[in-house]
Amino acid sequence: MKCAHHAALATTVAIAIFSSILNADEAAPVPDNPAATQTSTSRATALAAWKQAKFGLFMHWGVYSIYGGTYKGKELWSAEWIQENAKIPFDEYAAVAAEWNPSKFDADAWVTLAKNAGMGYIVITAKHHDGFAIYPSKASSYNLMNWSKTYKGPDPLAALRDACRKHGLLFGIYYSPLEFRLSKKGFHKGDAELLAAGFKYETLGPKPYASNADVVKMAEAQIKELAEWYQPDILWFDGTWNAMGDWSEGDARQALETIRKAVPNVLINNRLGTKDVDFNTVEGKLPETAPKGTWEYCWNLGVFWGYNPRNYTPERVGTPERYIETLVQVTSMGGNYLLNVGPRPDGTFHPMAIEYLTAIGQWTRVNGECVYGASPAPFAKPAWGYATSKEDKLYLIIKTFPESGIIEFPALPTPAERAYVLSDPNHSPLKLNQSEAKWSVELTTRTPFTVVAIELKK
Ligand code: JFZ
């Protein structure tokens, strides 16, 4: 950070304040997503900026990316869980980690890719369940900057943080306190043979920590590092679920206190393991009706979180429209959307990921108005697609066109002034009928995810 010499003199809290002032100055305006800056002076403004940003890029990147779901020639339905799923001995995994050299890592390229897709934030894995951190942690030598025999830097977290500040995106960090090797219900679960042979979780390398208490202590220390050093806008926790038994509510409360002291306005998801967090995580299948509270939906481009080359088949990734639809659907239910892509071990993205993100960006650039800062429409999901709204506008996002080209929707209490297609540069007025309980517009286009803007009387 450029302010390092000042920071040395300051208290933790002062660093937080100083860096947020610095960020305000540095944040470049983002024409297609103007509120996605990290100038948060309160948790409320932080939350508002995150909601405005709406769409983020999630990235699972670690030693598992090297395996790409294949172990000893065997192709597994696996990515970031491969150490656990293939029961890879720790020493062997740690040896692979030592050879990791993401020489093509380019923070600016990653952030630009996200920005060009119309995303206003990123979330990057600092440490996943394999225990390997990608930043120069002082709390554990088992990290990229220390462990790799060849990687020369930069620190990926610092570089991404700086690139986010430069390009006006919010910066988020994913962290999992849980580690396979110390979870008695995790690694080698039920492996009677190993247990009979005297298998002990505590004796497995790499050092320096050797017990469950140690791993919690290390997690507390790493969480402190992540909050203090990187001043993230978002801390995205995972791997604290009780079934694994490694992380107590007390541990979570202590972490929360540390975090709020270091970076008071950071947004925290509900997987830290304590209350007083900022948003709920929704994953898997999208619910039919809006989840309660503030929420973010996360899922993959395709089927895997970490890199697996077998992710990139047309059946698995579908079409770019699938992700545009999810973005619109999530917006129509009042949520945020965190789309995950696993970068390749060398620091590049699979060409198909780039192609899809670019295609999504072509749509958001033209139609983003119906997404950024938009709320659900004041009526239930229409049969032809989705609807969102702003104070004096209604947006109709049409997926399936009726034969007639006439799109019907419930009448609003405020009269409409005009209607036009967002992608029409002239905004030529559409035929708008608002004489009945049902209003309608008539369209000549049949392009899926065409957006009609309806301006209401002010
Ligand atoms: C977790 C991780 O185990 C996984 O590797 C990935 O990082 C993902 C984002 O998070 O997996 C989960 C966690 C919680 C649920 C499902 C998968 N859940 O609550 O349904």
Side-chain angles (χ1 to χ4, degrees), residues 58 60 80-81 128-129 174 236 238 241 271 283 305:
F58 203 0
H60 279 65
E80 77 288 353
W81 272 70
H128 204 265
H129 312 335
Y174 165 107
W236 210 104
D238 186 31
W241 51 87
R271 285 192 192 163
E283 93 178 66
W305 297 101

Side-chain angles (χ1 to χ4, degrees), residues 20-177:
S20 80
I21 293 166
L22 189 77
N23 301 339
D25 293 342
E26 280 191 341
V30 188
D32 53 352
N33 197 357
T37 60
Q38 56 300 308
T39 55
S40 315
T41 49
S42 72
R43 261 166 90 187
T45 54
L47 199 61
W50 175 82
K51 280 188 177 172
Q52 169 76 24
K54 184 62 74 186
F55 190 25
L57 182 63
F58 203 0
M59 290 171 286
H60 279 65
W61 195 52
V63 176
Y64 43 83
S65 315
I66 301 168
Y67 288 94
T70 298
Y71 180 59
K72 295 203 165 153
K74 221 177 130 195
E75 296 187 349
L76 298 150
W77 188 266
S78 193
E80 77 288 353
W81 272 70
I82 194 155
Q83 181 180 24
E84 169 83 4
N85 295 347
K87 303 201 187 315
I88 303 171
F90 285 106
D91 293 339
E92 196 182 310
Y93 195 87
V96 168
E99 300 299 329
W100 190 20
N101 186 9
S103 57
K104 292 185 182 153
F105 167 73
D106 180 346
D108 220 71
W110 287 24
V111 170
T112 308
L113 183 67
K115 184 174 172 172
N116 289 343
M119 291 161 163
Y121 61 106
I122 67 163
V123 179
I124 172 79
T125 49
K127 186 196 87 170
H128 204 265
H129 312 335
D130 63 354
F132 190 80
I134 65 162
Y135 73 99
S137 174
K138 289 198 171 73
S140 165
S141 62
Y142 195 43
N143 73 68
L144 175 65
M145 308 300 293
N146 173 71
W147 203 262
S148 170
K149 288 189 266 183
T150 42
Y151 183 60
K152 297 277 178 290
D155 166 6
L157 290 194
L160 287 168
R161 188 267 326 272
D162 291 347
C164 280
R165 302 300 196 234
K166 181 176 145 200
H167 292 286
L169 278 77
L170 303 174
F171 175 62
I173 298 175
Y174 165 107
Y175 185 83
S176 164

Side-chain angles (χ1 to χ4, degrees), residues 226-280:
L226 295 171
E228 285 183 356
W229 297 356
Y230 302 104
Q231 295 290 307
D233 300 292
I234 305 148
L235 276 172
W236 210 104
F237 288 97
D238 186 31
T240 56
W241 51 87
N242 285 333
M244 294 296 215
D246 291 342
W247 183 255
S248 70
E249 204 186 321
D251 296 330
R253 270 201 300 272
Q254 191 182 319
L256 188 65
E257 205 186 302
T258 307
I259 295 163
R260 291 273 175 238
K261 220 192 236 170
V263 51
N265 302 320
V266 68
L267 302 174
I268 304 173
N269 72 336
N270 63 335
R271 285 192 192 163
L272 175 61
T274 182
K275 297 193 179 71
D276 187 31
V277 290
D278 300 279
F279 64 92
N280 296 324

Side-chain angles (χ1 to χ4, degrees), residues 334-389:
N336 264 34
Y337 180 27
L338 185 62
L339 173 59
N340 179 79
V341 178
R344 297 192 287 200
D346 66 357
T348 62
F349 282 78
H350 190 282
M352 222 165 152
I354 296 173
E355 182 194 320
Y356 274 52
L357 290 172
T358 306
I360 294 166
Q362 276 156 6
W363 184 90
T364 52
R365 202 159 297 123
V366 174
N367 300 294
E369 199 188 308
C370 74
V371 167
Y372 309 117
S375 306
F379 48 78
K381 187 197 164 322
W384 39 256
Y386 304 91
T388 65
S389 72

